[in-house]
Amino acid sequence: MHEMTAILLDGQGGARPISPDAAKDQILPEGAVLWVHVHQSPGEDGAWLNAFGGDSIVASALMAEETRPRCTLYQGGVLMNLRGVNLEPGEDPEDMVSLRIWAGQARIITLSRRPVRAALDLLAHCEGGTGPASASELIAQLALRLADRAEPVVADLNERIDDLEDAVETSRGVPPRRELAEIRRVSIQLRRYMFPQRDALSTLEIEPLPWIGPAQRSALREATERVTRLAEELDAIRDRAQVVHDHIMDARAEAMNRQMLLLSVVTAVFLPLGLITGLLGINVGGMPGAASPYAFWIVCALLVVLGAVLLGVFGRLGWLMRR
């Protein structure tokens, strides 16, 4: 089951919706562009593409199960895949949705398996009477809207990593590792598609297609720069998360070292005391003080003095080490 929406762009900035059936046989005026957007469930075939001049290669590209951002020239047009953040309720933004594109000079078909807010927004804008003037400008606007949707997600990641960095620098406790791991995971997954998307848009910008003019190339260049900036911010977030992780590991290692040092001092203090008490506790003849009623208290006093001396020695050594 698929849902199809058709928009006729007049090439002058005007747009009007037409019925999908009329779009199949539509004779386009000079400079006009037909945009057909299809929302199709997984598992369906692409038989409907035949009515719009698509062949098996186009169908295979649009119906592929796994898609990474790319741009491939084919018969004077382009086959493209773009990705956008998933903003549907209850979904994870990093579970990015795919927008598949087959574009030529006078016809552009976009297909999605899940709702793509950027495409739906542009469709609503075109149904209002205005729209892109060409197929390449339509692709540029889609890419810019995809970047606009991704920017709040990246900004939220920046704020979250800022909070973790503040917590580390101001010693407000160790930040939760789960939060840090979540930030790293989301940034890595978003980055996974941002750089290929930049490359796809850059490829379209530099390809010598006659239906892409200087103004459209400037719009594509702007979209490429927006995606590049988002990808670089995700790189920075990932690196900052690694720095925070290193700080956490250093803090934990330092705390463990302090505990081990305390344990070592306690062990070093009580080791000679235990040796003395163990020596005095053997049941053999000739033990000194065995017949004296004051021998026990004398031994206790000697142990206290020895313990105090050992604590003083280790305290002095620790002071010298801290200097």
Side-chain angles (χ1 to χ4, degrees), residues 249-264:
M249 292 298 100
D250 290 344
R252 293 194 171 187
E254 185 176 351
M256 184 174 294
N257 289 337
R258 285 197 299 267
Q259 293 172 357
M260 293 299 296
L261 177 60
L262 178 61
L263 180 60
S264 299

Side-chain angles (χ1 to χ4, degrees), residues 237-317:
I237 291 171
R238 184 190 59 176
D239 293 341
R240 291 168 64 192
Q242 182 61 45
V243 171
V244 173
H245 180 266
D246 292 343
H247 276 298
I248 293 175
M249 292 298 100
D250 290 344
R252 293 194 171 187
E254 185 176 351
M256 184 174 294
N257 289 337
R258 285 197 299 267
Q259 293 172 357
M260 293 299 296
L261 177 60
L262 178 61
L263 180 60
S264 299
V265 170
V266 171
T267 303
V269 169
F270 283 94
L271 183 62
L273 301 181
L275 175 62
I276 294 173
T277 56
L279 181 63
L280 295 178
I282 58 177
N283 292 321
V284 295
M287 289 296 298
S292 174
Y294 305 107
F296 173 76
W297 301 108
I298 293 172
V299 171
C300 289
L302 290 175
L303 292 177
V304 170
V305 171
L306 180 59
V309 170
L310 291 173
L311 286 175
V313 170
F314 284 112
R316 179 65 176 176
L317 290 176

Side-chain angles (χ1 to χ4, degrees), residues 177-230:
R177 294 182 63 184
R178 181 176 298 178
E179 173 76 4
L180 180 61
E182 176 69 10
I183 293 173
R184 293 179 66 186
R185 183 184 66 81
V186 173
S187 63
I188 289 172
Q189 290 188 359
L190 291 176
R191 179 189 178 279
R192 175 185 174 191
Y193 292 108
M194 284 300 176
F195 277 110
Q197 187 142 310
R198 175 202 63 183
D199 295 339
L201 292 170
S202 178
T203 299
L204 181 61
E205 176 197 343
I206 64 177
E207 289 294 348
L209 293 169
W211 46 275
I212 303 180
Q216 290 78 26
R217 294 188 189 279
S218 296
L220 289 170
R221 188 176 304 113
E222 172 64 21
T224 303
E225 291 177 355
R226 292 276 296 279
V227 175
T228 300
R229 181 173 58 80
L230 288 175

Side-chain angles (χ1 to χ4, degrees), residues 29 33 44 76 81 84 99 102 118 144 152 165 176 228 230 259 304 306:
V33 177
E44 293 187 48
N81 293 326
L99 183 65
W102 175 40
L144 286 170
E165 286 178 336
T228 300
L230 288 175
Q259 293 172 357
V304 170
L306 180 59

Side-chain angles (χ1 to χ4, degrees), residues 83-225:
R83 287 272 186 161
V85 294
N86 192 346
L87 299 178
E88 292 302 302
E91 299 290 341
D92 296 325
E94 66 274 15
D95 182 21
M96 302 185 76
V97 294
S98 174
L99 183 65
R100 303 111 188 275
I101 301 172
W102 175 40
Q105 181 172 359
R107 196 181 305 271
I108 178 168
I109 296 176
T110 58
L111 184 143
S112 64
R113 295 286 178 81
R114 292 179 291 178
V116 180
R117 295 283 185 90
L120 297 178
D121 287 349
L122 189 54
L123 281 172
H125 180 73
C126 291
E127 289 172 350
T130 58
S134 65
S136 57
E137 186 177 337
L138 192 154
I139 295 174
Q141 289 194 19
L142 283 173
L144 286 170
R145 288 174 182 266
L146 289 171
D148 288 340
R149 294 289 184 175
E151 280 184 346
V153 177
V154 177
D156 179 65
L157 289 176
N158 266 317
E159 291 178 2
R160 290 167 65 184
I161 197 66
D162 285 343
D163 292 340
L164 292 182
E165 286 178 336
D166 291 342
V168 170
E169 292 175 0
T170 58
S171 300
R172 296 201 306 263
V174 177
R177 294 182 63 184
R178 181 176 298 178
E179 173 76 4
L180 180 61
E182 176 69 10
I183 293 173
R184 293 179 66 186
R185 183 184 66 81
V186 173
S187 63
I188 289 172
Q189 290 188 359
L190 291 176
R191 179 189 178 279
R192 175 185 174 191
Y193 292 108
M194 284 300 176
F195 277 110
Q197 187 142 310
R198 175 202 63 183
D199 295 339
L201 292 170
S202 178
T203 299
L204 181 61
E205 176 197 343
I206 64 177
E207 289 294 348
L209 293 169
W211 46 275
I212 303 180
Q216 290 78 26
R217 294 188 189 279
S218 296
L220 289 170
R221 188 176 304 113
E222 172 64 21
T224 303
E225 291 177 355

Side-chain angles (χ1 to χ4, degrees), residues 56-76:
S56 60
I57 294 179
V58 174
S60 176
L62 293 181
M63 305 296 165
E65 291 297 328
E66 295 295 331
T67 59
R68 288 180 62 81
R70 66 163 186 163
C71 177
T72 304
L73 296 186
Y74 180 67
Q75 294 184 349

